[in-house]
Amino acid sequence: MHLEELINQHYTALNENDKEVCRLLLTHRSRLASYSCEQVATFCHISRATLLRLCRKISLVSFSDLKLLLKEEAQQDMPLEFDLFDTYHALIDELKKFSYRSICERLYACKTIYIYGTGNEQKTLAEECKRIFLSAGKCVIDLFDIGEVAFMKPTFQAEDMFIMISLSGETKEGIQILQMLQQCDIYTISMTRLANNTISSMCNEHLYVATKVVETMDYELVSAFYVLLDLLFINYLDYQREVEACESKN
């Protein structure tokens, strides 16, 4: 039961001072949720004993019961966007732990980058990947389906790279394509959700992205894939400048 319902049920048993304390509890529950009994009492300008008596008046056994209600309702009061901010920070912190150097070395040395996305969102990400690496002077070709991959397969070379983008890492067509590529010498890289999956296990190198499902909206946040792409590209540009600076000295 919600705190406000408990207060309403026992409202006639409360004196004016109790009612004012209840108003403070309801108004500032997000703040008070982390307070101790003494801190809540001080905030409400009452003694600890008075606060405990109020708890019993509204049928709570102890202050711990009151604090549990405050915590639960504080979480409900928190706008979804604040949870998203915390999620984004956690996702970015996870991506920053990864070293992109070996992939950047491969990207710099390869002649052609082929990209395949297993779904609509992944194909959009593939298009963005193509756009930014074209701006860095790379030859990039995005492939639409397994038929296009089969058609281009005879042109694949050992110095090329094939990037497979899949959210689940278990897409049937994506797995079929990688099985086809095992007959070639082309170097393969996967970008998938952070979990053990078939596609990542079939590639020479893998990049993982942590995603989060917003359960109340049945929606999965996939923006971390774009953050990963930005980080990869920035690291690539740094590596490119480093190599070119060394070459100019020589």
Side-chain angles (χ1 to χ4, degrees):
M1 184 174 290
H2 293 295
L3 178 60
E4 190 167 4
E5 293 177 28
L6 286 176
I7 293 171
N8 288 338
Q9 281 185 8
H10 301 87
Y11 198 75
T12 55
L14 304 179
N15 57 40
E16 291 305 313
N17 190 50
D18 293 332
K19 294 175 183 177
E20 176 59 20
V21 172
C22 288
R23 186 189 67 79
L24 290 172
L25 292 174
L26 293 173
T27 304
H28 302 282
R29 51 192 162 191
S30 295
R31 177 179 179 181
L32 299 177
S34 60
Y35 280 22
S36 66
C37 183
E38 289 76 10
Q39 289 173 320
V40 173
T42 300
F43 182 86
C44 297
H45 307 292
I46 57 175
S47 67
R48 183 175 181 275
T50 301
L51 178 60
L52 294 176
R53 282 196 296 271
L54 174 60
C55 289
R56 289 191 287 271
K57 283 184 181 181
I58 58 175
S59 76
L60 295 176
V61 176
S62 66
F63 173 75
S64 295
D65 294 334
L66 173 63
K67 187 167 183 175
L68 180 61
L69 286 176
L70 290 172
K71 281 186 175 181
E72 290 176 349
E73 296 184 22
Q75 291 174 351
Q76 294 171 5
D77 289 343
M78 184 179 294
L80 180 60
E81 64 182 272
F82 288 109
D83 183 46
L84 296 186
F85 294 154
D86 291 340
T87 299
Y88 287 140
H89 282 301
L91 296 180
I92 292 171
D93 288 342
E94 190 65 32
L95 289 173
K96 286 163 64 178
K97 297 176 183 178
F98 187 80
S99 174
Y100 301 89
R101 186 160 185 97
S102 63
I103 293 181
C104 290
E105 290 173 353
R106 285 275 181 177
L107 284 166
Y108 185 80
C110 76
K111 289 186 176 180
T112 304
I113 303 171
Y114 297 93
I115 311 174
Y116 177 81
T118 59
N120 291 332
E121 185 64 41
Q122 292 89 330
K123 291 187 187 304
T124 300
L125 184 60
E127 291 175 1
E128 177 63 10
C129 186
K130 175 182 178 180
R131 183 189 69 80
I132 61 177
F133 279 101
L134 281 173
S135 72
K138 301 302 295 184
C139 176
V140 187
I141 300 174
D142 57 329
L143 301 170
F144 184 76
D145 56 27
I146 192 170
E148 285 193 0
V149 177
F151 178 78
M152 294 298 296
K153 179 187 168 186
T155 68
F156 295 164
Q157 301 179 41
E159 54 267 35
D160 294 335
M161 176 183 289
F162 192 99
I163 300 176
M164 171 73 71
I165 304 173
S166 171
L167 181 59
S168 68
E170 299 295 344
T171 310
K172 182 179 179 181
E173 188 169 282
I175 294 171
Q176 291 174 339
I177 288 173
L178 288 174
Q179 289 172 338
M180 184 193 309
L181 296 184
Q182 287 176 346
Q183 304 165 19
C184 309
D185 292 328
I186 192 168
Y187 194 81
T188 54
I189 295 178
S190 67
M191 292 175 60
T192 67
R193 182 194 289 135
L194 182 58
N196 291 327
N197 61 78
T198 304
I199 285 178
S200 64
S201 68
M202 296 176 70
C203 291
N204 298 111
E205 192 136 22
H206 41 261
L207 292 169
Y208 289 120
V209 175
T211 62
K212 179 179 175 64
V213 176
V214 183
E215 296 180 359
T216 56
M217 302 175 68
D218 193 26
Y219 176 73
E220 184 166 13
L221 303 174
V222 295
S223 53
F225 275 87
Y226 290 90
V227 177
L228 169 61
L229 183 55
D230 286 339
L231 285 171
L232 177 60
F233 187 60
I234 293 300
N235 277 271
Y236 175 77
L237 292 178
D238 283 341
Y239 178 79
Q240 184 183 53
R241 293 191 186 101
E242 179 186 326
V243 172
E244 292 174 354
C246 291
E247 291 176 347
S248 63
K249 289 179 181 179
N250 298 329

